[in-house]
Amino acid sequence: MGTEKKLTKKPFHKGKLLQQKKKLNQQEEREEEEMFKGMHSFYEVLFGEVTMVPPSLRVKPKKAIVKPKLSGGSVPAMVYVANLCVALCVGAALKPDVVLENSATTLNHSMALVQRMEALLTQGNGSDVILRVQTLNTDEVKIIQVHSLVLTLQSDVFDELLQTRNSTAMILRETPDCAAVFDKFIRYLYCGDITVRLNQAIPLHKLASKYHVWDLQQGLTQYMTQHLSSDSPTGHVVSWYQYATQIGDVTLQNSCLQYLSWNLSSVLQSAEWSSVSEELLLTLLQRSDLVLQSELELYEALEAWISQNQPSGETAESVLKAIRYAMISPQHLFHLQKKSSVMLKYYESVRDLLFLAFQFHAASPVQLAKYFDVNCSLFTPRNYLSPAWGSPWVINNPTRDDRSFSFQTQLGPSGYDASKRVTWNALFSPRWLPLSVRSPYPEQGSLQPTRTDGGRPRIIVTPATSSPDFAGVSFQKTVIVSARKQGKVVVRHVYNFHQSTEEAGDFLLEADLQRRASEYLIDSSLYLHIIVKPLYHSLIVAKK
């Protein structure tokens, strides 16, 4: 019997122990679940966004969640709160977008969180790192109390520096311009926003690049691209171009170069012109899309640049050779030969070019083409705004209906053609159907393709009459579109074509002319300038 009792009590005792252990585990899991539910809610409140979900829809947390391990019994409250705030504020990518049920409500307090983060930086509560920002070649030192978690999450460079530091203080050495905006840079790491002035863009971009804060770097590049036309006392586009060239930012470099080329006439009159580097000057002079009043205006600005910067003789000769003297009238060329101090000093280097220009003005283009290569840049006009080359055209309410316009230009820039005029007819249509989508069966009795609401704006420029003087010459038309940016009228786009803007393919393609506030309109009007440029062709002479 003793053996039987022992056998019957043993399994009963084991089962009871297992049941008690299971009940105890369930109770611990419930306590842990409630604790982490509370922490999760606290975490969300600090993050500035709370999702209120009914109990029936709540999902139990997975056991794979890593629970924080507290060393020493507890973590200081301010540090724990700051860490949670920072992790959520700067690590927004950790919080996925969730499609909530119909019964769920989102409360957003993110702005309050940004304010608390800014206060945390300003007051320095719970900081564990002291930044000593030393200005190079000076005794100036700026002290900033920060939190290592913020720097680590935002920058891998800071992360590496923090791992190798020997004390709570970390010394950073910066140039004067970067040291002056370092506090703004640190504030961005905490708050995710920053106020930028034109003269602060480059030093902030340097700091963002140095410490690998890529979002800020990209944002500053975009800022500079969008603020090229902003007014500044000494100008900023030239310095931005030189900085972009230095760091190899091709996008910013091309944007600056295009702005300078299309608005060169205003740049020549600004204080910024004297700061143009030799490399940038030579790059500009090689371009045919420069927008300015005349080639003479460019020469006079170049003369002022040489007098002020005193470049080497080789550089001065190179830039003077880039002037297209054939586009300057003979009267002005004679004046430059006798009155220009720069011309007198470097006359030998440009003598042959001047001689060729005088020959160009003395003979007809057809005769000149028999002996010289008239396709070279010396005989290629730039985008000149003077009346001899074209005319402005302001179109009020450009979406209303078709408009026509007539204007005159000189036949060509040579003195031989100076007295000859060509009358041009221009037609603007706001909704012209492109050839690619035009119906092959026009309406009965219609001589021209149908204009529809789905069409695009188009300009056609044709001569009013033909002439034998057109032999050996083709006419390139250029339409300049101006717009107002940052309160200043600037060139928004330049289109080149032979007869119709349909050849360009992208004429006003992105312009919403229906919208009164369109970036392509000034006071609800479309501001255009049409330029006609004669291009000469070399004649092929058959050998006998």
Side-chain angles (χ1 to χ4, degrees):
M1 290 292 296
T3 304
E4 291 179 355
K5 187 179 290 187
K6 187 176 181 180
L7 292 175
T8 56
K9 290 178 75 174
K10 186 174 181 180
F12 173 78
H13 181 64
K14 182 178 180 181
K16 187 175 181 179
L17 288 176
L18 293 174
Q19 186 177 4
Q20 291 177 349
K21 185 175 180 181
K22 182 178 180 181
K23 186 180 297 184
L24 180 61
N25 290 339
Q26 290 176 348
Q27 182 177 355
E28 289 179 352
E29 288 181 358
R30 284 196 299 270
E31 290 176 353
E32 289 180 353
E33 182 179 342
E34 293 300 325
M35 180 183 70
F36 281 100
K37 281 183 179 179
M39 290 180 62
H40 181 67
S41 299
F42 179 61
Y43 186 83
E44 286 187 324
V45 170
L46 289 174
F47 194 15
E49 186 171 308
V50 183
T51 302
M52 309 299 294
V53 184
S56 60
L57 297 177
R58 292 177 183 170
V59 180
K60 293 183 179 181
K62 297 180 180 180
K63 293 184 180 181
I65 294 178
V66 180
K67 307 174 181 59
K69 296 182 181 180
L70 307 182
S71 60
S74 64
V75 175
M78 179 54 67
V79 176
Y80 184 67
V81 172
N83 287 348
L84 286 178
C85 287
V86 171
L88 289 157
C89 183
V90 300
L94 299 178
K95 176 182 170 298
D97 294 331
V98 179
V99 179
L100 301 177
E101 299 288 344
N102 294 333
S103 55
T105 303
T106 298
L107 305 178
N108 193 330
H109 304 133
S110 56
M111 291 304 299
L113 175 59
V114 171
Q115 295 173 359
R116 292 196 294 270
M117 292 297 298
E118 185 172 11
L120 186 66
L121 172 63
T122 304
Q123 298 168 6
N125 294 335
S127 66
D128 56 347
V129 178
I130 297 176
L131 297 181
R132 295 177 59 86
V133 184
Q134 294 184 352
T135 304
L136 292 176
N137 302 322
T138 68
D139 296 330
E140 182 181 350
V141 178
K142 184 179 295 186
I143 305 297
I144 305 176
Q145 292 183 328
V146 295
H147 305 78
S148 58
L149 181 58
V150 178
L151 306 187
T152 299
L153 289 174
Q154 289 282 50
S155 164
D156 60 328
V157 175
F158 273 127
D159 185 19
E160 184 176 350
L161 292 174
L162 289 168
Q163 291 180 13
T164 57
R165 64 190 172 108
N166 297 322
S167 64
T168 57
M170 188 163 63
I171 300 175
L172 302 175
R173 296 175 176 84
E174 304 293 343
T175 57
D177 58 337
C178 291
V181 297
F182 202 88
D183 52 346
K184 296 174 70 75
F185 172 67
I186 293 296
R187 183 192 175 278
Y188 172 84
L189 302 184
Y190 277 75
C191 303
D193 67 79
I194 191 169
T195 302
V196 185
R197 297 182 182 274
L198 295 174
N199 61 344
Q200 297 173 338
I202 290 180
L204 285 172
H205 195 280
K206 289 180 181 178
L207 291 174
S209 302
K210 178 179 179 179
Y211 294 101
H212 294 182
V213 184
W214 304 123
D215 288 343
L216 178 59
Q217 183 199 59
Q218 295 172 5
L220 289 166
T221 299
Q222 185 178 10
Y223 166 84
M224 288 188 276
T225 302
Q226 296 174 349
H227 287 78
L228 296 172
S229 59
S230 296
D231 285 324
S232 57
T234 58
H236 55 279
V237 182
V238 171
S239 61
W240 286 0
Y241 170 84
Q242 293 170 347
Y243 174 68
T245 303
Q246 177 185 347
I247 65 175
D249 191 330
V250 179
T251 301
L252 179 58
Q253 181 181 357
N254 290 338
S255 296
C256 293
L257 188 58
Q258 178 178 278
Y259 177 86
L260 293 171
S261 301
W262 288 359
N263 299 275
L264 187 61
S265 190
S266 61
V267 174
L268 298 180
Q269 310 301 324
S270 68
E272 195 171 17
W273 174 245
S274 60
S275 64
V276 171
S277 65
E278 297 177 3
E279 177 271 333
L280 174 57
L281 181 59
L282 289 170
T283 300
L284 288 170
L285 291 173
Q286 300 303 318
R287 296 174 68 110
S288 295
D289 64 340
L290 302 183
V291 178
L292 66 166
Q293 291 298 319
S294 64
E295 194 74 16
L296 181 61
E297 179 189 31
L298 181 58
Y299 176 86
E300 291 173 346
L302 188 58
E303 186 178 36
W305 183 90
I306 293 175
S307 300
Q308 186 165 356
N309 290 278
Q310 294 296 316
S312 64
E314 183 180 357
T315 299
E317 291 178 0
S318 297
V319 297
L320 286 172
K321 288 179 179 178
I323 292 292
R324 301 179 181 182
Y325 296 100
M327 300 296 110
I328 301 176
S329 67
Q331 295 85 347
H332 288 113
L333 288 177
F334 283 128
H335 179 79
L336 294 179
Q337 280 185 303
K338 298 300 182 181
K339 300 296 182 180
S340 171
S341 58
V342 172
M343 178 69 73
L344 292 173
K345 183 177 180 179
Y346 298 101
Y347 177 76
E348 290 300 322
S349 63
V350 296
R351 181 179 58 183
D352 292 343
L353 293 176
L354 290 173
F355 181 67
L356 190 57
F358 282 121
Q359 288 180 308
F360 171 76
H361 287 298
S364 69
V366 175
Q367 290 297 319
L368 192 71
K370 293 180 180 180
Y371 305 100
F372 298 99
D373 178 15
V374 292
N375 290 320
C376 65
S377 61
L378 180 66
F379 305 110
T380 303
R382 308 185 203 264
N383 293 326
Y384 303 124
L385 300 176
S386 58
W389 295 89
S391 174
W393 188 12
V394 179
I395 303 177
N396 299 318
N397 299 320
T399 59
R400 190 179 64 192
D401 49 32
D402 292 359
R403 316 292 172 85
S404 61
F405 172 66
S406 296
F407 62 99
Q408 284 190 334
T409 65
Q410 64 185 24
L411 176 62
S414 72
Y416 185 87
D417 294 329
S419 61
K420 300 176 183 179
R421 293 289 182 267
V422 179
T423 300
W424 301 92
N425 295 327
L427 172 67
F428 173 80
S429 177
R431 293 175 299 278
W432 195 275
L433 200 63
L435 284 170
S436 57
V437 295
R438 190 180 301 167
S439 172
Y441 306 103
E443 297 179 5
Q444 186 175 3
S446 175
L447 298 179
Q448 294 190 10
T450 304
R451 291 181 294 276
T452 68
D453 292 336
R456 296 205 309 257
R458 186 172 86 154
I459 290 180
I460 301 175
V461 180
T462 56
T465 59
S466 60
S467 170
D469 294 326
F470 292 175
V473 182
S474 63
F475 296 94
Q476 176 182 297
K477 286 81 173 185
T478 298
V479 173
I480 297 175
V481 182
S482 298
R484 181 179 286 120
K485 298 190 68 176
Q486 285 88 44
K488 183 166 60 176
V489 177
V490 297
V491 175
R492 178 62 189 263
H493 217 298
V494 175
Y495 301 94
N496 297 314
F497 56 95
H498 176 67
Q499 179 172 322
S500 168
T501 54
E502 190 175 2
E503 303 163 18
D506 60 345
F507 179 65
L508 297 179
L509 185 61
E510 299 179 357
D512 184 5
L513 301 182
Q514 298 280 357
R515 188 165 53 91
R516 294 177 62 88
S518 171
E519 295 180 352
Y520 284 81
L521 299 180
I522 301 176
D523 299 329
S524 302
S525 299
L526 185 62
Y527 277 67
L528 308 176
H529 195 110
I530 302 179
I531 300 173
V532 179
K533 297 186 288 187
L535 303 178
Y536 301 104
H537 305 287
S538 298
L539 300 180
I540 301 176
V541 180
K543 295 182 179 180
K544 295 183 179 180

